[in-house]
């Protein structure tokens, strides 16, 4: 397993076709080195989406599994052979599911880092209260992170708003991957609510920063990528 990054940029390739994804790959060649393949592209293009990007960099295969332990273990086992270096499952699947997923990941020939998704970054306090009433987002993230660690996962997915508390509670060896990242010059926050700039997220201890639409929908995705790299360097 590779050493965790320190504010390393992961570009979310959320496209509806492999052709579109490959055009983006060409535009970003030499600028981006870590890509996220998620549900949209994977559903459209299948495992080839992973191999096309793992041939030019590292891949986070973001399929956020959430099911009974045997099903999730099987899905993790199958996806661990595709060439991604990071996979994820929902931490709210519970400890038996997390333990089964962690065992499946660690028994792969090249074990990927397995992360637990805590509270999705599009939830603000009002919509979070519909899902887990009476608990703050921060406490829910910390509870789920505790569960993820107890289940044998290597870290969590959370927003930058919780990154500092997670770093304090879990120390440097727990990997934090942060989506909901928007540079100050981004045109739009889209559906994301708990957002931060790349520099802020890195300062709060994020190992990986996931940026999608601020790059992919930018008129010049390559210069947007280079600008983010510049803003998080050092
Ligand atoms: O375009 P944007 O930068 O908002 O994309 C964020 C990406 O990160 C999306 O692919 C989304 O699925 C993913 N993600 C997220 N929040 C999480 C986990 C993953 O936004 N908690």
């Amino acid at each position: 397993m590779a050493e965790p990054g320190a504010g390393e940029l992961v570009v979310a390739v959320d496209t509806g076709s492999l052709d579109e994804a490959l055009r983006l790959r060409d535009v970003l060649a030499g600028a981006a080195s870590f890509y996220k393949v998620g549900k949209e592209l994977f559903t459209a293009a299948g495992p080839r989406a992973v191999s096309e990007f793992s041939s030019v960099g590292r891949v986070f295969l973001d399929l956020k599994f959430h099911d009974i332990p045997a099903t999730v273990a099987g899905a993790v086992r199958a996806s661990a052979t595709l060439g991604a270096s990071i996979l994820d499952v929902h931490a709210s699947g519970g400890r038996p599911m997390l333990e089964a997923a962690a065992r499946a990941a660690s028994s792969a020939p090249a074990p990927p880092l397995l992360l637990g998704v805590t509270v999705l970054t599009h939830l603000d306090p009002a919509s979070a209260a519909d899902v887990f009433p009476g608990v703050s987002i921060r406490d829910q993230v910390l509870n789920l992170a505790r569960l993820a660690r107890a289940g044998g996962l290597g870290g969590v997915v959370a927003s930058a708003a919780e990154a500092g508390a997670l770093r304090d509670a879990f120390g440097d060896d727990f990997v934090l991957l942060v989506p909901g990242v928007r540079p100050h010059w981004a045109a739009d926050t889209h559906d994301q609510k708990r957002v931060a700039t790349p520099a802020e997220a890195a300062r709060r201890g994020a190992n990986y920063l996931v940026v999608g639409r601020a790059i992919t929908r930018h008129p010049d995705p390559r210069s947007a990528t280079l600008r983010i790299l510049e803003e998080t360097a050092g």
Side-chain angles (χ1 to χ4, degrees):
M1 221 180 286
E3 283 295 304
E8 190 173 346
L9 175 65
V10 181
V11 179
V13 189
D14 292 322
T15 61
S17 75
L18 188 61
D19 282 353
E20 218 183 317
L22 296 181
R23 277 197 294 278
L24 187 66
R25 187 187 70 174
D26 291 345
V27 166
L28 299 185
S33 55
F34 210 140
Y35 297 92
K36 186 179 89 76
V37 172
K39 289 184 169 95
E40 183 180 358
L41 179 58
F42 194 78
T43 303
R48 196 170 151 208
V50 180
S51 59
E52 290 288 359
F53 282 90
S54 61
S55 66
V56 297
R58 281 184 292 155
V59 175
F60 164 32
L61 180 55
D62 176 27
L63 298 180
K64 298 188 184 70
F65 295 124
H66 191 173
D67 211 311
I68 59 169
T71 301
V72 168
V76 167
R77 204 172 299 117
S79 45
T81 63
L82 301 181
S85 54
I86 303 182
L87 303 177
D88 60 354
V89 299
H90 271 284
S92 56
R95 186 150 171 177
M97 187 202 94
L98 296 171
E99 287 175 348
R103 275 196 303 274
S106 64
S107 61
L113 172 67
L114 185 65
L115 300 179
V117 177
T118 59
V119 177
L120 294 169
T121 45
H122 75 291
L123 292 175
D124 60 13
S127 44
D130 296 335
V131 187
F132 43 88
V135 185
S136 70
I137 290 179
R138 182 181 173 281
D139 286 350
Q140 180 77 349
V141 168
L142 288 168
N143 287 339
L144 289 170
R146 239 172 258 124
L147 190 59
R149 191 164 68 169
L153 273 58
V156 289
V157 182
S159 89
E162 301 90 41
L166 286 164
R167 194 49 83 213
D168 289 348
F170 295 95
D172 288 339
D173 291 338
F174 202 57
V175 172
L176 303 182
L177 181 143
V178 170
V181 174
R182 291 289 182 281
H184 64 87
W185 40 265
D188 199 340
T189 55
H190 306 100
D191 51 355
Q192 300 283 18
K193 291 291 190 300
R194 302 192 333 277
V195 295
T197 66
E200 263 163 29
R203 211 170 26 249
R204 291 182 197 169
N207 299 102
Y208 299 104
L209 315 170
V210 173
V211 182
R213 288 163 289 185
I215 290 175
T216 58
R217 297 201 187 166
H218 192 277
D220 183 347
R222 187 181 180 83
S223 52
T225 302
L226 293 172
R227 193 165 169 190
I228 292 170
L229 290 172
E230 223 176 83
E231 289 173 6
T232 49

